[in-house]
Amino acid sequence: MFYLLSFLDRTNLGNARVAGLQHDLHLTNHQYSIALTVTYIPYILAELPSNLLLKAVGPNLMLPAMLTLWGVVTTLQGVVTSYGGLLAARFFLGLLEGNKPGWSWIFFLEGLFTFMFGLISFFLLPRSPSYARFLSQQEKDYIVERLRQDGATGNDDKADAFSWKEVGMAFKLPQVWLLALVFFMDGTVLYGLA
């Protein structure tokens, strides 16, 4: 559900365009393309730090916080009245008023749903299977053991702890740099900014 909502919030600009956003904000096709692309710059830059923070803080706090903030930013896109405002909103989506045009309600409704789901997730999402209140102790033990057998977790909490050494090792991997380049080029080449 988290991934679905983040995907909807990143891609709903196309629906808003069909509903009149481009016309109401007097955007050229090039400006619209830049508004699409600007989302991916902070998205790419925040990917590694957010994953490091996820490991340090835990998914039970990090994921609901991110989802709630996505919901706020998506909802606020409904009040933009200029190209600059749209770029700012789209930028913060990657990191509210009546009688609005139809396209703004796309952001209001989708953003509000994402925001509400994010708030509820603070209470529902456990830090790890060991802390899942909805599982019996036998189920918790089984899941933890399977994760260890599959190599998804270490044999103890110390092995899974945050490590700056691992961060440094990740920066030395060519696939990390290649993936960042692919994400960036996808946005710039696809929308004619290269």
Side-chain angles (χ1 to χ4, degrees), residues 147-176:
L147 289 171
R148 285 186 181 135
Q149 288 175 3
D150 293 343
T153 61
N155 290 330
D156 56 28
D157 289 339
K158 186 177 179 181
D160 290 332
F162 178 82
S163 164
W164 280 108
K165 181 180 176 185
E166 289 180 14
V167 174
M169 290 171 38
F171 276 112
K172 294 176 184 175
L173 297 172
Q175 60 265 35
V176 170

Side-chain angles (χ1 to χ4, degrees), residues 41-64:
I41 295 169
Y43 182 87
I44 292 167
L45 294 175
E47 188 74 21
L48 178 65
S50 69
N51 280 306
L52 297 176
L53 189 59
L54 177 69
K55 192 166 186 176
V57 173
N60 61 317
L61 297 176
M62 180 74 174
L63 295 178

Side-chain angles (χ1 to χ4, degrees), residues 18-126:
V18 170
L21 171 131
Q22 187 172 2
H23 178 266
D24 289 355
L25 296 184
H26 310 290
L27 301 179
T28 65
N29 287 338
H30 185 71
Q31 288 174 318
Y32 175 77
S33 295
I34 291 174
L36 283 173
T37 304
V38 76
T39 305
Y40 292 100
I41 295 169
Y43 182 87
I44 292 167
L45 294 175
E47 188 74 21
L48 178 65
S50 69
N51 280 306
L52 297 176
L53 189 59
L54 177 69
K55 192 166 186 176
V57 173
N60 61 317
L61 297 176
M62 180 74 174
L63 295 178
M66 288 173 52
L67 194 65
T68 302
L69 292 174
W70 284 331
V72 168
V73 172
T74 299
T75 302
L76 292 177
Q77 286 180 107
V79 299
V80 299
T81 57
S82 68
Y83 175 58
L86 178 64
L87 287 182
R90 295 302 292 182
F91 177 84
F92 287 107
L93 182 63
L95 263 203
L96 309 162
E97 180 181 343
N99 293 323
K100 296 298 281 179
W103 59 263
S104 65
W105 286 101
I106 292 170
F107 297 120
F108 288 140
L109 297 176
E110 288 184 11
L112 186 60
F113 180 76
T114 301
F115 173 75
M116 295 304 295
F117 194 84
L119 286 180
I120 292 168
S121 297
F122 277 107
F123 302 102
L124 298 179
L125 190 66

Side-chain angles (χ1 to χ4, degrees), residues 33 36-45 176-194:
S33 295
L36 283 173
T37 304
V38 76
T39 305
Y40 292 100
I41 295 169
Y43 182 87
I44 292 167
L45 294 175
V176 170
W177 292 102
L178 184 61
L179 186 61
L181 181 65
V182 167
F183 275 135
F184 181 75
M185 294 305 292
D186 177 47
T188 56
V189 172
L190 184 61
Y191 300 114
L193 299 177

Side-chain angles (χ1 to χ4, degrees), residues 3-13 15 74 110 113-114:
Y3 184 76
L4 171 67
L5 292 172
S6 74
F7 178 77
L8 284 175
D9 293 345
R10 282 194 315 267
T11 61
N12 60 12
L13 192 63
N15 294 333
T74 299
E110 288 184 11
F113 180 76
T114 301

